[in-house]
């Protein structure tokens, strides 16, 4: 069944590419990759309110009680399959988007006359970049775990936009 629309899939992979490339570059290219990442985050936030069903934040961002219940089920290896993002995955998306935005903002600040060469701004930017890598590693780990646990290829779903049809016990 169709889950993720073309914009979500394209934004995901462009964000992955721009963040990864920014990690390995410096100077002007690094700066433009950061602006690209920030633009994608901005568009993704807009799409989270105006986009298609599974792209909307209200559809997949769950409250604390639901997220905690899911985390308990996850630890017990009894978590339900979600057609869109599961509660832990949804909060990972929020964390990744926020961290990318903050990393980009701190990088931009370090290019301004007022904050050029200011140690705490550069340290903050480096800390956020490292945190972003750690979150990305956790995200990939969660994707691998969920793919194996529910016997579906989530990376392929982020290319095609399609997941296996709903099964008994799945959560829309």
């Amino acid at each position: 069944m169709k889950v993720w629309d073309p914009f979500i899939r394209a934004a995901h992979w462009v964000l992955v590419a721009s963040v990864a490339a920014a990690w390995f570059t410096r100077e002007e290219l690094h700066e433009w990759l950061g602006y690209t990442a920030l633009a994608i985050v901005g568009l993704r936030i807009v799409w989270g309110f105006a986009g298609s069903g599974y792209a909307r934040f209200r559809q997949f961002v769950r409250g604390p009680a639901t997220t905690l219940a899911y985390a308990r089920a996850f630890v017990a290896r009894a978590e339900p399959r979600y057609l869109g993002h599961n509660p832990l995955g949804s909060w990972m998306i929020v964390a990744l988007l926020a961290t990318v935005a903050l990393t980009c903002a701190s990088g931009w600040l370090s290019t301004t006359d007022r904050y050029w060469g200011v140690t705490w701004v550069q340290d903050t930017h480096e800390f956020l970049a490292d945190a972003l890598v750690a979150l990305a590693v956790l995200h990939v780990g969660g994707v691998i775990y969920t793919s194996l646990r529910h016997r579906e290829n989530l990376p392929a779903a982020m290319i095609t936009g399609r997941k296996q049809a709903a099964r008994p016990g799945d959560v829309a």
Side-chain angles (χ1 to χ4, degrees):
M1 68 176 290
K2 191 77 166 175
V3 178
W4 291 301
D5 62 55
F7 174 78
I8 289 297
R9 298 185 328 262
H12 175 268
W13 294 113
V14 170
L15 188 58
V16 168
S18 61
V19 167
W23 180 260
F24 292 108
T25 61
R26 296 292 174 257
E27 305 304 327
E28 193 171 328
L29 181 59
H30 178 85
E31 190 175 333
W32 283 106
L33 289 164
Y35 293 140
T36 300
L38 186 58
I40 292 295
V41 168
L43 290 169
R44 177 60 183 99
I45 290 170
V46 169
W47 202 246
F49 294 101
S52 62
Y54 287 102
R56 291 181 181 242
F57 295 128
R58 73 170 187 228
Q59 190 283 329
F60 70 85
V61 176
R62 310 285 194 220
T66 302
T67 304
L68 186 56
Y70 181 85
R72 285 188 191 114
F74 176 86
V75 169
R77 293 187 45 89
E79 74 280 3
R81 175 180 176 255
Y82 278 72
L83 295 180
H85 293 93
N86 67 53
L88 291 177
S90 72
W91 284 106
M92 177 56 78
I93 292 166
V94 171
L96 285 165
L97 292 173
T99 305
V100 170
L102 290 170
T103 303
C104 293
S106 64
W108 169 77
L109 271 179
S110 70
T111 68
T112 64
D113 289 340
R114 181 171 185 154
Y115 294 103
W116 175 262
V118 175
T119 304
W120 73 264
V121 175
Q122 292 174 340
D123 291 347
T124 300
H125 184 65
E126 289 176 18
F127 171 80
L128 288 167
D130 291 342
L132 184 55
V133 170
L135 287 172
V137 168
L138 284 172
H139 173 64
V140 169
V143 166
I144 291 169
Y145 172 84
T146 303
S147 291
L148 295 172
R149 175 85 170 101
H150 296 293
R151 294 185 175 106
E152 63 185 339
N153 188 339
L154 290 179
M158 281 305 291
I159 294 169
T160 66
R162 298 187 175 282
K163 289 180 77 176
Q164 295 174 10
R167 301 178 284 210
D170 286 353
V171 180

